[in-house]
Amino acid sequence: MPYTPSRRLVLGGVGAAALTSALAPAARAADALTRPDLAVTGRETDLGAGWRFALANPDGVTDPDGRFADAANPGYDDSGWAVVDVPHDWSIELPPTGTGTDSGSGFFRGGLGWYRRTFTLPPSLAGRRVSVEFDGVYSDAHVYLDGELLGNHPYAYTGFAFDLTGRLHTDGRTPNVLAVRAVNPLPSSRWYSGSGIYRRVRLVVTEPVHVARHGTFVTTPDIAAGRGTVRVATDVANDSAAPVTAEVRTTVTDPAGRVAAKGVTTVTVAAGQTATAITTQSVGSPQLWSVEKPRLYRVTTEVVAGRVLDTTTADFGFRYTEFHPDHGFSLNGVPAKLRGVNLHATQGPLGAVIDYAALERQLRLMLAMGVNALRTAHNPPAPELVAVCERLGILLMVEAFDCWRTGKVEFDYHRDFDAWSARDIAEMVHAAKNSPAVVLWSIGNEVPDASMAGGPAIAAGLIATVRGIDPTRPVVMGSDRYRSVPAPGSPQDLILKQLDGLGVNYNTAQSIDGLHARYPDKFFFESESSSETSTRGAYQDPDLLNTGENHTPGKRATSSYDNNLASWTFSGEYSLKKDRDRKFCQGQFLWAGQDYLGEPTPYDVFPVKTSFFGAVDSAGLPKDAFHLFRSQWTTAPMVHLTPMDWTTHRPGEPVAVWVYSTVDTVELVLNGRSLGVKKFARKTTVDGRPYLETSEPAGDDKNAPSGSYTSPNGGTGKLHLTWTVPFEPGTLTAIATSGGREVARDRLVTAGPPRAVTLSAEPRGEGAMAFVTASVVDAHGIVVPGAEPVLRFAVRGPGRIAGVDNGRQELAQGYQQPTIPAFHGQAVAVVAATGGRGPITVTASAPGLSPGTITVPGTNLGQRNGPGARAVERPDSPAFAAADASYSGAPDTLPAAMLDGDLATGWSNFYVKQATATLPAVSRPRAQDWVSLAWPAARRLSAITANFVLDATHGRPDGVDVACRTARGWEPVRNLKVTWGSGSNDPTTLEFDPATTTEVRITMTARTFLRISALTARE
C-alpha cells in the first residue's frame, strides 16, 4: 500500500512528492552496512557525526556515468565514501583552480555531492512523531529516507524539516538510511558560498501533541512604559486522531536561572490541526538586554494533557528600540548609532562550516573594533550566529535575499524566487523572531527589481509576509538604487513608501540628505559604507586619496592608507564623517568587517581568492582600517601607528606616518628623540555631540565648494594625524596624552633577521575550534614584516589542524592543509578538537628557525571527521618568473610582456584610476620603479638592453641603477655605463663590469610613466 504523506510531511516547505519506487540493492547488501544505534535523548538529537560523503562531480551538477543513480537506495554500497561530520563544506577541501571557476567563488569548485547517514532507532520511538531538521544545505537539497524522496529545499540559507513519522524502522535492528543530494552549480553566488550540509542537522522526537516547529513567539509589549510584560504565543500541534484539550504552562526564568514569572492557559486543538495558546505574565523590575549588558531571559513551555507531552525553551530579552526619522536610533531609550559591519557567512580556512567558537572569535574581533551591529549579508543567518550575537550584545539586521525575480549570476536564487520566496522569508523570521539581538528585517540587497515595474508588487508581498509573522520590528532593505531622489511614482519611490526605513549603499552625503528631505517619515542608514580595500602590511602613495593597483603577479595587493577605492566606494574616513554628522542617520554597516573568500575587487585573476574589503584579513589579523574605525567607535584611550612596519624602508626614505587615536594629543618619538606633538581639534556636531578631527582640510569631496567633505558645522578635517619621518632603524613610538598624562602608546621596532617562530592562542568559545597565531620573530621577539618562510603546523593530543590562513589575498594554495607561508611575518592555524581528554599541543616550524609550541585545552565538543580531517598537503609551488617588476599598472602590461618578442606589447607602470562619486580620476607618474630578469641558474652577464617606449604617455627615465642578487642581498654593479636609445623603442644599453648572478634588477627614477617593450641581458 503506498504511503500517504500527512499534512505535516514537510515542516518547512516541500517541493516534490515522495517517491515509492524500490531500488535494487547495490553490490553490498543492506545487512552488511554499519548500523550505529542513535542515542535519542530528549527532544532533539544531533545528527552531526557519522555521515558518508561522495563528491559525485566537482565540475558540474550531473552524474555523467550514472554511478550515483541509486545513491538514495538503502542497499547502495557507500563503504568507499568518505566519513565526514556535518557541518561540512566540500568546496573548501578542494584545491583552488583557475579552470572552470571564477573569482566570485574564490576559484573553488562546487558540483554535485551526496551524503548518507545510517542509523537504527529503538522500539521506544514507536508511535511518536519524528522529524529531521536541517539548518541549511548548499544547495537545492533533495532529502531521501530509505530511498523515498521526502522533498527538496532549494534555498541554501533557510532551515527546513521533513516529517519521518510512519516511515522509520524502530525495531532497534533495521537500519534507516537518510540521504541528501546537494548541488552547487557555478556561478550560483557573487561570493564564495561553500557546498554541502554546512549547517547543523538534528532529529526531533515528540509526542503527537507538541509545540509546533518555531511555535513559540515571545514579545515584551510594555517595556518602554516600565512594565515587564511577557506575552508568549504557543502554537500547539495535534497530530493525533482525536481532539485534545491541553494545558500550556509557561515559566520565565531570569539571567541567573531564577523563576521570574509563570503563566498557564488551556487550549483545545482539533485532530490534525494547530491552535495558538497565549499566556501573559509580568516580571517585576526586568533586567534590560543591551549591547553593554546582554541579559537573556528564558521561557520554558510545557504542553500538559494528563502528563507533560512536550517541553521547549526559548531565549528572549527585555529591550525596546526606536528608529526615528529625525533623531536616529535608540536602544532602551538611550540614543546610539549603529556601528555595524557586513559579514558573509564564511569563516576563512573553514569555508562555510558553522562553528560556534569560530563565530564567537570573529565577532569578538568586531567588538574590539567598537562594533555593536551586524548585517547578515545577504542571507538569513545560522542559528549559532544569532545566539552568539544575543550573548555578546550585537544588534542584528537579518537579511533575506541578494536577488528577487531578476538574478545577478546564472544560477542564483532568482530561479526559485517565485515559488519559494514567501516560504523562505517566513522561515527567516520564524527562526530568529525571539532574539533580542534582531532589530531589523531586510527583504533584500541591491535587487535589480527595485528599479523595475514589477518590483513594488514583489516588495509588497515580502513585507506582508514579514509583518504577518512579526509586526514588532521595522522592515527595510539595502539598496544601491537610491543615489538620487526617486521620481514620484517610480518603482524606487513606490517601494520606499512601503518600507519602514531604507539602507543605502554608497550614497554621497548630498544624496542621503536629499532622501531624508524627500521622505521625512522614513528612517535612513547606510547598509553598506566605505568598501575601501586594503592588504595587511601593504602601503602605497599616502599623499594620494586614491591609488592605482599593482598587477604584477605575486604583488597584487592594495594600500592600507585608506586610499584604494573602486569607482562606487568611499574612504573609511569619508563614511565615518558622513554618518557622524547626521543625527537622522541611524548608523552604518561597514563593507566589510572581514575579508571573505571570493569577490576579490579590484583584481579578477587567479590566484587572488579573497576580498580586500575587510577591516581584518581572512585570517582574522587586523589591518590598519580596524584601528581607524576603532578610533571612532570606541572611547577608551588608544593610539595606533600606520604603517605597521618600521623595518622594510631604505635609510633616509621619507615615511608617511599616520596616527589614529581616541585622544586629542599625540607625540611621536623616534629613538628617544621627539618629532613633535600634534593635536586633533575638539569639535561638536550641530546637535552637540563631541568628536575629534584635524583642522587640516581632507580634500576628499569634489562635490563640496571647499573640495573637502564639509560638516554642517563647517569642519573639513581628517581623522588621523600625520608626520613625514625620514627612516632610521630603531624604535618609533606614538604617545597619547590627556591632561598632560600618558594614557596610551603604540610602538614600532625595526626587526632583525628571523630567528624563531612564536605561537599565541585566543580563548576558545563553545565550539570545536581554537585559533593559533604564528609569528616569525627576530632575536628580540619582534615580528619580522618581510619574513615569509613556509610554516608547518603539527598537533599532538586530541586535535588536528582544521585549516591555515595567512590573510594574503593572492595565494594559490588551499586552506585545509598543515603548511602555509607566513605573510608579513604571520599566519594562523585553526585547531579542531577531536573530542577526548587532555591538552592539545600545537607546534609551528620553519627551516632555519626555532620552532614555537603552545598548548590549548581539549574539549568533548570536538569532531573526529570535521574540517581538516581529510586534509592533503598541497604546497604552493610558485611558477618561476623570468621577468618581474615592482609595479605593473594594468593587467596587460605585466613583466612577461617584455620577453614575448613583440615590441607592440610590454611592461608599463602607467595606470588610470577611475573617478569616484567624490574624487576625480587619478593617473600620476611614479617616482621610482624597478624591473628584473631572473634565471634558474646563475649566469655571467655584463650588459642589459631595454627598449623604452616614448610617446605622449611614456618617457625615458631620469636615472637608472643596476643591481645583482648575491648571497648577501642586492649589490650594485660596478662601472655602470648607460647609452640611451635615440627614439621610441630604440635599445638603451646598460653596460657594467661582468657579474655572475641569478637575477639582475634595473631601478628607474622618472617624472613620467615608463614602458619597456623588450628587455634582454648578455655577457
Side-chain angles (χ1 to χ4, degrees), residues 375 378 397-401 404 440-451 455-456 458-459 462-463 474-482 491-505 523-528:
R375 177 187 182 212
H378 301 292
M397 171 181 170
V398 174
E399 193 152 73
F401 310 116
W404 295 345
L440 292 170
W441 300 119
S442 170
I443 61 174
N445 167 69
E446 295 186 351
V447 293
D449 297 277
S451 55
I458 295 173
L462 297 175
I463 293 168
V475 182
V476 299
M477 73 176 186
S479 185
D480 58 347
R481 310 225 163 203
Y482 292 84
Q492 293 98 315
D493 174 64
L494 297 176
I495 290 173
L496 180 50
K497 287 177 177 177
Q498 299 178 65
L499 295 167
D500 297 302
L502 177 69
V504 295
N505 294 357
F523 66 84
F524 293 91
F525 61 98
E526 291 185 89
S527 40
E528 292 180 26

Side-chain angles (χ1 to χ4, degrees), residues 58-115:
D59 299 309
V61 297
T62 61
D63 178 12
D65 54 11
R67 289 187 302 125
F68 299 90
D70 296 337
N73 184 352
Y76 183 88
D77 180 10
D78 63 10
S79 60
W81 290 17
V83 178
V84 301
D85 291 343
V86 301
H88 173 251
D89 174 6
W90 81 66
S91 289
I92 200 68
E93 297 180 339
L94 302 174
T97 174
T99 303
T101 61
D102 60 25
S103 62
S105 70
F107 300 104
F108 284 92
R109 292 179 288 174
L112 165 65
W114 275 94
Y115 295 84

Side-chain angles (χ1 to χ4, degrees), residues 589-664:
F589 292 87
L590 169 66
W591 192 273
Q594 183 171 10
D595 286 350
Y596 50 90
L597 289 168
E599 205 171 31
T601 303
Y603 301 100
D604 187 13
V605 60
F606 183 81
V608 188
K609 302 198 301 294
T610 73
S611 77
F612 292 72
F613 297 118
V616 302
D617 66 23
S618 58
L621 300 173
K623 308 181 196 177
D624 294 275
F626 175 95
H627 300 283
L628 163 62
F629 280 82
R630 179 182 165 215
S631 73
Q632 303 302 304
W633 284 355
T634 65
T635 57
M638 61 78 62
V639 63
H640 171 76
L641 284 164
T642 297
M644 297 187 290
D645 172 2
W646 199 247
T647 300
T648 58
H649 307 280
R650 301 184 310 276
E653 174 188 349
V655 180
V657 176
W658 291 15
V659 170
Y660 299 121
S661 183
T662 55
V663 182
D664 65 350

Side-chain angles (χ1 to χ4, degrees), residues 944-958:
I944 299 172
T945 300
N947 293 51
F948 287 98
V949 174
L950 308 179
D951 56 24
T953 302
H954 307 91
R956 183 180 290 138
D958 296 326

Side-chain angles (χ1 to χ4, degrees), residues 751-756 776-784:
R755 288 288 185 87
V776 180
V777 301
D778 68 6
H780 302 287
I782 305 301
V783 176
V784 183

Side-chain angles (χ1 to χ4, degrees), residues 858-917:
T859 171
N860 291 329
L861 296 174
Q863 295 181 325
R864 294 191 176 277
N865 301 295
R870 300 191 296 141
V872 176
E873 185 173 342
R874 300 182 180 95
D876 182 18
S877 300
F880 174 75
D884 198 5
S886 58
Y887 184 90
S888 300
D892 60 351
T893 60
L894 304 183
M898 298 185 293
L899 309 182
D900 63 5
D902 184 356
L903 295 182
T905 64
W907 164 84
S908 176
N909 61 7
F910 173 77
Y911 71 91
V912 176
K913 192 63 183 287
Q914 286 181 280
T916 73

Side-chain angles (χ1 to χ4, degrees), residues 517-891:
R518 173 65 177 81
Y519 299 94
D521 59 331
K522 305 297 180 182
F523 66 84
F524 293 91
F525 61 98
E526 291 185 89
S527 40
E528 292 180 26
S529 70
S530 183
S531 274
E532 67 96 6
T533 60
S534 61
T535 298
R536 177 175 56 84
Y539 304 94
Q540 180 182 327
D541 299 329
D543 56 327
L544 290 180
L545 294 172
N546 202 1
T547 64
E549 285 80 45
N550 190 350
H551 292 273
T552 304
K555 299 179 180 64
R556 297 179 179 111
T558 61
S559 174
S560 284
Y561 277 117
D562 191 26
N563 65 341
N564 187 269
L565 307 173
S567 60
W568 68 89
T569 66
F570 303 96
S571 70
E573 291 202 12
Y574 179 92
S575 296
L576 285 161
K577 292 185 292 187
K578 175 179 60 176
D579 174 38
R580 175 199 69 198
D581 290 334
R582 286 157 177 79
K583 184 178 181 181
F584 73 81
C585 186
Q586 316 292 308
Q588 64 176 299
F589 292 87
L590 169 66
W591 192 273
Q594 183 171 10
D595 286 350
Y596 50 90
L597 289 168
E599 205 171 31
T601 303
Y603 301 100
D604 187 13
V605 60
F606 183 81
V608 188
K609 302 198 301 294
T610 73
S611 77
F612 292 72
F613 297 118
V616 302
D617 66 23
S618 58
L621 300 173
K623 308 181 196 177
D624 294 275
F626 175 95
H627 300 283
L628 163 62
F629 280 82
R630 179 182 165 215
S631 73
Q632 303 302 304
W633 284 355
T634 65
T635 57
M638 61 78 62
V639 63
H640 171 76
L641 284 164
T642 297
M644 297 187 290
D645 172 2
W646 199 247
T647 300
T648 58
H649 307 280
R650 301 184 310 276
E653 174 188 349
V655 180
V657 176
W658 291 15
V659 170
Y660 299 121
S661 183
T662 55
V663 182
D664 65 350
T665 303
V666 179
E667 181 181 17
L668 196 64
V669 177
L670 177 60
N671 294 328
R673 183 175 73 256
S674 177
L675 302 182
V677 174
K678 295 195 176 184
K679 292 187 175 185
F680 290 105
R682 291 184 173 272
K683 302 180 181 181
T684 58
T685 61
V686 291
D687 58 291
R689 290 172 288 119
Y691 64 93
L692 300 177
E693 185 179 87
T694 71
S695 297
E696 175 189 5
D700 56 356
D701 192 352
K702 64 185 181 184
N703 304 306
S706 67
S708 298
Y709 167 82
T710 304
S711 300
N713 63 9
T716 59
K718 301 177 180 179
L719 302 183
H720 65 273
L721 302 171
T722 306
W723 284 259
T724 299
V725 182
F727 175 73
E728 65 179 58
T731 302
L732 183 70
T733 307
I735 303 171
T737 60
S738 178
R741 182 176 61 88
E742 178 182 332
V743 292
R745 70 166 52 200
D746 191 21
R747 186 183 70 153
L748 300 173
V749 179
T750 303
R755 288 288 185 87
V757 180
T758 62
L759 298 181
S760 61
E762 301 166 40
R764 177 169 47 210
E766 297 181 14
M769 307 298 173
F771 292 80
V772 175
T773 299
S775 299
V776 180
V777 301
D778 68 6
H780 302 287
I782 305 301
V783 176
V784 183
E788 299 191 352
V790 174
L791 298 171
R792 178 177 296 277
F793 293 92
V795 170
R796 295 195 313 273
R800 66 174 179 278
I801 299 300
V804 291
D805 195 359
N806 60 13
R808 183 174 186 172
Q809 292 106 344
E810 183 184 19
L811 184 67
Q813 76 168 61
Y815 295 103
Q816 294 199 345
Q817 61 177 54
T819 61
I820 194 167
F823 182 56
H824 293 302
Q826 292 187 299
V828 172
V830 186
V831 179
T834 55
R837 310 178 110 191
I840 303 169
T841 301
V842 184
T843 301
S845 58
L849 302 179
S850 298
T853 300
I854 197 169
T855 298
V856 298
T859 171
N860 291 329
L861 296 174
Q863 295 181 325
R864 294 191 176 277
N865 301 295
R870 300 191 296 141
V872 176
E873 185 173 342
R874 300 182 180 95
D876 182 18
S877 300
F880 174 75
D884 198 5
S886 58
Y887 184 90
S888 300

